[in-house]
Amino acid sequence: MLNPSIPASHGEATPGAAGIVAAPGDCYHCGLPVPRIGGRRSTLGGEPRAFCCAGCEAVAHAIVDQGLDDYYRYRAASPGRPADAAAGADEYAAFDDPVAQARFAAAGEGGDKEAVLLLEGIRCAACSWLIEQAMQRVPGVRAAQVNYATQRARLRWDPAAGRLSEVLRAVAAVGYRAHPYEAARLDALRATARRTALWRLLVAGLGMMQVMMYAVPAYVALEGTLPQDIALLMRWASLVLTVPVVLYSAQPFFAGAWRDLRMHRLGMDVPVALGIAVAFGASVLATLRATGEVYFDSITMFVFLLLLGRFVELGARQRATGLLDHLGKLVPEVCRRVTGPPGSLETTATPVAALAAGDVVLVSPGESVPADGVVLDGQSVVNEALLTGESRPIAKSAGARLIGGAVNVSGAVLMRVERVGADTILGTIARLAERATAERPRLVELADQVAHWFVLAVLAVALATAAWWLASDPGRALWVAVSVLVVTCPCALSLATPVALTAATGALARRGVLVTRGHALEALAHATDVVFDKTGTLTQGTLRVAGIDVLGSVERARCLTVARGIEQASEHAYAAAIRDFAATEGAAAAETSLPAVCVGAGIEAVVDGAPWRIGSAAYCAALAGTPAPEGDTGADATVVHLVRAGEWVARFRLSDSLKPDAARLIARLQAEGRTVHLLSGDAPAAVQRVADALGIARARSECLPDAKREYVRELQRAGRVVAMVGDGVNDAPVLAQADVSIAMASGARLAQVQADAVSMRGTAADLAGAFATADRAMRVVRQNLAWAIAYNLIALPAAVAGLVTPWLAGIGMAASSLAVVLNATRLVRDAPHGEERTPAVGAGG
C-alpha cells in the first residue's frame, strides 16, 4: 500500500505513484538502488521511471524538458546523484566577480571572454555531449567544447549577454560539477585516478597470488593422487577469490565494453571483457557441476597483467602531459603589493588574483614573479628557464620586462603590473596548449578506425576458432577461443600513434617548443618546403636604430617626438626599436589621434591636425606625393620613412644581425631535402643580404601579408607541404594558410594564436629540434605500428593453433602495449644528436 503522507512528484507524475516504490530497482538517473521507503516514481517520456530521491527526479525532468533526452539513450555510465553538484551551485556566483575572472578568464574576440573549465563526474562520451548541450543553451554562450580525455571544457561567452555562474549552474542542473581550471584541483583528480588504478591492481595481484596457490597442487599432483573433495574445495576457494578480481579490478574493461556497445561501436575493451566473462562463466559452471576445466588462475593473472600495463601507461601519459599542466603552478598564490605612499616600501599581502594593471609589487629574491610587468626600481637576475628554456639567469634592471612565473634569483625589485591572469604570456601559452589537447590528429583517428575493424575481425576469428575446436577437441575449445580474444586485442595498435605523439609533444615542450595544434608534428615531418620571415626568425629581432637622416624642414627632435607618438600603436619590432631610440634621445611621445595600421606597410595618424605616416617607402609615397629621395642607407640597413602631406620628413636606418646558428639550421633543412624560402616586407637589398649569407636561393622582398599568403598558396597548389615560420602581426595570415606554422614567443600574440607551435626561445636550434623531433616521432609511430602488426601476425595463428594459454595471452597483450609505450618514451629521454637538452615549459628544475 502507498503511503498517502508522501507528496506526489512534479511533472507528469502518475497519480498516487509517489512515495513507497512497490518493488526495489535502480534509479533511472543515477543507477543507485531505489529504496522501498522514500523512493519516487513518475512518468518520463511516456514511460514510468523510478528514482531514488527527489534530486534525481528533478534533474531527469530538467534534462528531458530541455530536449536532451538523447543523453539517456547513449550514456554508458550513470553520473551519480546530483545532490553534491546542486549543493555547490550557490558558490558559483563568486566566479562572476571580475577580480576572480582575471585569474582564469581571457579576453576573446568582440568583447567575449574565454576560459577553461575542469569537469567532475564525467563517465563516458555521452556525458561530454550532455554537458556541451547544457552549456550551449545558456544565453550568451558562443561556443562550448568538452574534451572527454582531459575532462575539461573550453568555453567562450559574451559577458554582456550571460554570466559564467549561469553556465556552471546549468552543468550542475544535469548532475555534474564545473570549476575554472586550477592546477591543484587537477592534481587531486589525477591522484584519485592513480589511487583507484593502484587499488584495482593490488586487488588483482593479491587475488592472482592466492588463486595460484590453489592451482599449483592441481598442476603438480600426479593423476589420481589429489582427492576429489580437496580438488573441489580448492575450486570453490579459487572462485571466491576470483569474484572481487572480476567485479572490482576488471570493472574498467566491462564499463568500457558496455560504453562501446551502447554507442554501437567495437572498442578494444570488447574482446577483453568478452574473454573474461566467457572464461569466468565457464569456470563457475564447471565448479557448480564439479566437472570440467576451470580457468580462475588464468583469469586473475590476465586481469593483473592488463591492469599492470595500463597502470604503467597511465603514469607515462601523465608524465608527458604533466609538463604543460605544470605551467599553472608557476605563478604564486599571494604577492606583496605596495600600498604605502610613493617612495615607501610598505606592502600588503595580496592574492595574485586580485592584482590589476598598474599595481606596484615588490618581488624579493627566491620569489616568483606574479604577473607580466616592467621593473620600476632595483637590479636582479631572473631565471626564466621554466618558461623559455633559457638556462642562464637574465639580468633585469629598471625598464626591463618581467614574465609572470619567472623566478627572481638575487636582488629585490619593484615592478609595475601590466597584464594579469589569463592575459599574461603564461596564460596565453596555457590556452594554446589546451587547444592542442582538444584536437585529434588525423593519424590518431585513422588508428582508431583501423582498431574498430580489427576488433570486428578478431571476434569473427574467435567465433570460427571456437566452432572448429568444438568439432575437433571440445575440451580445449573454450580456452583457445579466450586466448584468441585476448592475445589479439588491438591495444598496441591503438596506442602506437597517440602515445608517440604525446611523448614527442612533451619532448618538444622540454626543449622550448610548445605544440598548440594536434596535427603539427605530422605536418612538420612531412613538410617539403619551409618558408621563413626574416626579422625575429632568422635574425636576432633585436633591432636598433643605427641612424636618422633628416630629409625635410622638420627638426630632428621633432621627428623623434612624432615618430615615437605614432609608433605607440604598433607591436612591430621596427616600432619598438624606434620608440626605444627616441626615448634614449629624450624625446617625448607626441599626442596622436586616429591611428590606422596598414599591416605590413606602416601606420598613419593625425598629429597637430595634420596626417603623418611612418613605414615603407611605397606606403609613405602616397602621402608625400613624390618618390622617396635616394641616398646611401648602408647595405645592412632596413629603412623606415617618416612623412607628412607633401614632404619626406626623415629616414630611420635600422640594423639587425643574423642568429648565430641560422646558417646551420638552413643547411640542415636543405640536407634533409626540404626547400627553404625567404619572404620579407623589407627592402630588396636587406633581404638579399640575408639570403646570400644563409644560402637561400628563393627570396622575395617587399611582400605584403596577402602576397606572402598567395606565395604559400602557389606552393600548395603544386602539391607541396608548406611549413611557415614567422613572428609578426603581418605573418598571421600566412601562418594560418600554411600546412603547419611556428611562431616566436617574443613576437605578436596574433601570430602565436594562428600558429600550430610556439618557439619559446626563438633560437634556430629550437626550430631545428622541432623538425628533428617530428621526424623521429613519425619513425617511432612507424616502428610501433610495425611491431603491433607483426605481433598480431605471429600471435593470432599461434592462438588459433592452441599454442597460447589465456594467461600467456595476457602476458603477450600487456607486453605488446608496454613495448609501444616504452618505445615512445625514448622521444622524451633521448635528444637528437647535437641538440642541447634544456628544460622549458614546465619541465621542472
Side-chain angles (χ1 to χ4, degrees), residues 548 554-568 578-579 581-583 585-592 607-608 612 614 642 649-650 652:
I548 175 175
V554 180
E555 295 182 353
R556 184 177 186 275
R558 178 60 175 168
C559 293
L560 292 174
T561 298
V562 173
R564 184 180 180 186
I566 298 176
E567 294 287 26
Q568 299 291 336
I578 292 174
R579 288 196 304 267
F581 178 75
E585 293 284 317
E591 292 186 5
T592 63
V607 181
D608 294 336
W612 289 67
I614 187 168
L642 177 67
V649 177
F652 294 88

Side-chain angles (χ1 to χ4, degrees), residues 510-547:
R510 288 179 181 273
R511 299 178 178 104
V513 178
L514 181 66
V515 174
T516 63
R517 292 193 188 274
H519 74 282
L521 285 168
E522 181 185 359
L524 278 175
H526 294 138
T528 59
D529 293 66
V530 184
V531 180
F532 286 93
D533 177 45
K534 180 177 73 70
T535 304
T537 55
L538 296 176
T539 65
Q540 296 281 8
T542 53
L543 291 166
R544 64 180 184 86
V545 176

Side-chain angles (χ1 to χ4, degrees), residues 306-590:
L306 285 183
L307 290 176
L308 178 62
R310 290 199 174 186
F311 185 75
V312 174
E313 175 201 338
L314 174 66
R317 285 190 286 109
Q318 286 190 354
R319 283 193 299 273
T321 58
L323 294 172
L324 301 182
D325 294 322
H326 185 68
L327 288 171
K329 305 174 185 176
L330 298 181
V331 175
E333 294 291 333
V334 178
C335 65
R336 290 185 292 166
R337 183 167 59 92
V338 176
T339 55
S344 76
L345 293 180
E346 181 181 344
T347 62
T348 301
T350 304
V352 171
L355 287 179
D359 286 345
V360 177
V361 176
L362 176 64
V363 184
S364 297
E367 295 181 346
S368 296
V369 177
D372 290 355
V374 61
V375 176
L376 295 178
D377 191 18
Q379 292 183 341
S380 182
V381 292
V382 174
N383 189 341
E384 298 177 350
L386 292 175
L387 290 166
T388 67
E390 178 57 61
S391 57
R392 292 170 298 180
I394 302 171
K396 301 288 184 178
S397 57
R401 297 197 172 276
L402 295 173
I403 301 176
V407 178
N408 185 20
V409 176
S410 58
V413 295
L414 283 176
M415 66 169 290
R416 182 180 66 246
V417 174
E418 293 185 339
R419 291 188 294 266
V420 297
D423 291 328
T424 62
I425 292 176
L426 189 63
T428 301
I429 294 171
R431 286 200 310 279
L432 295 177
E434 183 65 33
R435 182 179 68 184
T437 63
E439 297 182 353
R440 289 174 58 82
R442 183 184 62 86
L443 277 175
V444 175
E445 293 182 347
L446 180 61
D448 284 349
Q449 292 173 4
V450 171
H452 167 76
W453 291 106
F454 185 84
V455 170
L456 187 61
V458 167
L459 294 177
V461 171
L463 184 62
T465 301
W468 189 89
W469 278 96
L470 280 173
S472 59
D473 189 353
R476 302 179 62 190
L478 178 63
W479 70 258
V480 171
V482 170
S483 297
V484 171
L485 286 172
V486 172
V487 78
T488 54
C489 179
C491 294
L493 189 63
S494 293
L495 287 172
T497 298
V499 74
L501 296 182
T502 299
T505 300
L508 283 178
R510 288 179 181 273
R511 299 178 178 104
V513 178
L514 181 66
V515 174
T516 63
R517 292 193 188 274
H519 74 282
L521 285 168
E522 181 185 359
L524 278 175
H526 294 138
T528 59
D529 293 66
V530 184
V531 180
F532 286 93
D533 177 45
K534 180 177 73 70
T535 304
T537 55
L538 296 176
T539 65
Q540 296 281 8
T542 53
L543 291 166
R544 64 180 184 86
V545 176
I548 175 175
D549 302 323
V550 177
L551 304 176
S553 59
V554 180
E555 295 182 353
R556 184 177 186 275
R558 178 60 175 168
C559 293
L560 292 174
T561 298
V562 173
R564 184 180 180 186
I566 298 176
E567 294 287 26
Q568 299 291 336
S570 175
E571 294 183 11
H572 200 281
Y574 295 170
I578 292 174
R579 288 196 304 267
D580 292 344
F581 178 75
T584 58
E585 293 284 317

Side-chain angles (χ1 to χ4, degrees), residues 254-270:
F254 291 110
W258 181 241
R259 177 193 66 219
D260 291 336
L261 294 176
R262 289 289 298 267
M263 297 295 291
H264 305 292
R265 63 187 297 270
L266 293 175
M268 66 182 67
D269 286 328
V270 172

Side-chain angles (χ1 to χ4, degrees), residues 236-257:
W236 277 100
S238 298
L239 170 59
V240 172
L241 291 168
T242 305
V243 167
V245 175
V246 172
L247 297 184
Y248 176 67
S249 296
Q251 189 270 339
F253 305 117
F254 291 110

